[in-house]
Amino acid sequence: MIETRAPGKLFIAGEYAVVSPGQPAVLVAVDRCITVRLTESEDSGRIHSSEYGQAPLVWHREENGEAIVLEHRPADYVLSAISTVEELRAARGAAPRYFDLEISSELDDTDGRKFGLGSSAAVTVATVAALAEFYELRLSPAERFKLALLATIAISPNASGGDLAASTFGGWIRYSSPDRAALRAHREAHGVVSALNCSQWAGSSARRITPPASLDLLVGWTGSPASTEHLVKRVHSPGAAQDAAPAPEAGPAPEAGPAPEAGPAPVAAEPRPFSSFAADSHTLVEDLVTAFDDDDAQAALKTIRAARSLLQRLGETSGSLIETATLHQLCEIAEAHGAAAKPSGAGGGDCGIALAHSHTDAQTILTGWEAAGIRPLDLGTHREEGEIDEF
């Protein structure tokens, strides 16, 4: 049996902008994972996973032994990962073999609700790694990341790949995305082998960074799911600010308890092009990376606060609910105790993060979150997975 694990992730800064080629973001891989167990089988392949319901997914090959035919499709990312690696396997002349996959996850609540930690990316990365080992393809981490991104954009063309990079490389990283539309078109025209080394990867990169030693990462879950794809499309849609106001946040009402002061009502921002947001985001991400490299905790906290303000502006000008009422409470409670906080990822629910000095009474923040109906998540940083090769 082959067993592979891939961690979930959290965005620290650079959300939304990172979907544009070359735009950077900072992410951290967390120490909760998706596990894929692969065993060889004789005449068909099955995927068993609580992630995709109780019915197993069954697949088999056509008579030529190459094309994968799917009898049931609840697990598109897994299937895309399989077909992508199988294409590479065939191109390298390795014989096809049947296998079963068993998938388990630590990225969900006990009732199956996702925490917003990038389960689709993690399962894609873990599946690619398992098949690469099964077929003895001897792929570098960068090659596994590239295959995972090629598989992902076949299903979700706008995916930045930041979550895949975090799941592949572990630790804290600065990441910038390639032109995925060009990559997808190149693969369709020339195949996966050519796509792994084509010029369309230009502008994409990942490198390790280390946060200041005096800062701790705190994570709170709002209990409300968010649709990253929907929010990203809304923000990028022309005239989004003229759309109807977004619906109120779903999910459980906060428990009774003192609410932090929200401060004065924000002044409606003038509509500004997304390019302005992206330029400001680029500057803030580089400022955060510099603060990390210089072990400058105060500069890092200042930049996190600026990143939150930038997301608030984007929400106002696009008419999108990025910082929900619960995320607002999460941030304000953390700020009241000297931490810097913001939504993580697309917002609209899911998780918020806070960076706090190690001398801060973190338990006070966590208790305040719980009183507001926010669930603290006990998350650490997943270990770094080898060297990051050049893309």
Side-chain angles (χ1 to χ4, degrees), residues 230-271:
H230 171 77
L231 284 164
V232 169
K233 284 182 178 179
R234 183 181 179 88
V235 163
H236 281 264
S237 297
Q242 283 72 50
D243 292 346
E249 177 188 13
E255 299 175 12
E261 292 193 21
V267 177
E270 289 293 326

Side-chain angles (χ1 to χ4, degrees), residues 111-269:
D111 63 1
R113 290 185 298 171
K114 297 183 184 300
F115 290 133
L117 298 176
S119 58
S120 295
V123 77
T124 304
V125 168
T127 301
V128 167
L131 287 170
E133 183 175 347
F134 181 59
Y135 284 123
E136 299 181 342
L137 297 178
R138 296 179 176 83
L139 302 178
S140 69
E143 288 172 325
R144 285 189 277 110
F145 161 74
K146 287 183 173 183
L147 283 174
L149 184 56
L150 291 170
T152 296
I153 60 177
I155 304 300
S156 181
N158 292 324
S160 72
D163 47 5
L164 298 164
S167 290
T168 300
F169 302 120
W172 291 73
I173 64 168
R174 177 204 181 275
Y175 169 80
S176 59
S177 60
D179 185 334
R180 281 91 64 215
L183 272 178
R184 186 175 180 179
H186 187 97
R187 178 188 174 181
E188 290 174 353
H190 304 288
V192 71
V193 174
S194 178
L196 279 174
N197 299 292
C198 66
S199 62
Q200 280 74 16
W201 291 99
S204 180
S205 66
R207 81 168 179 90
R208 299 206 181 282
I209 54 177
T210 302
S214 60
L215 293 181
D216 295 326
L217 176 66
L218 307 178
V219 184
W221 181 51
T222 66
S224 300
S227 171
T228 298
E229 186 171 2
H230 171 77
L231 284 164
V232 169
K233 284 182 178 179
R234 183 181 179 88
V235 163
H236 281 264
S237 297
Q242 283 72 50
D243 292 346
E249 177 188 13
E255 299 175 12
E261 292 193 21
V267 177

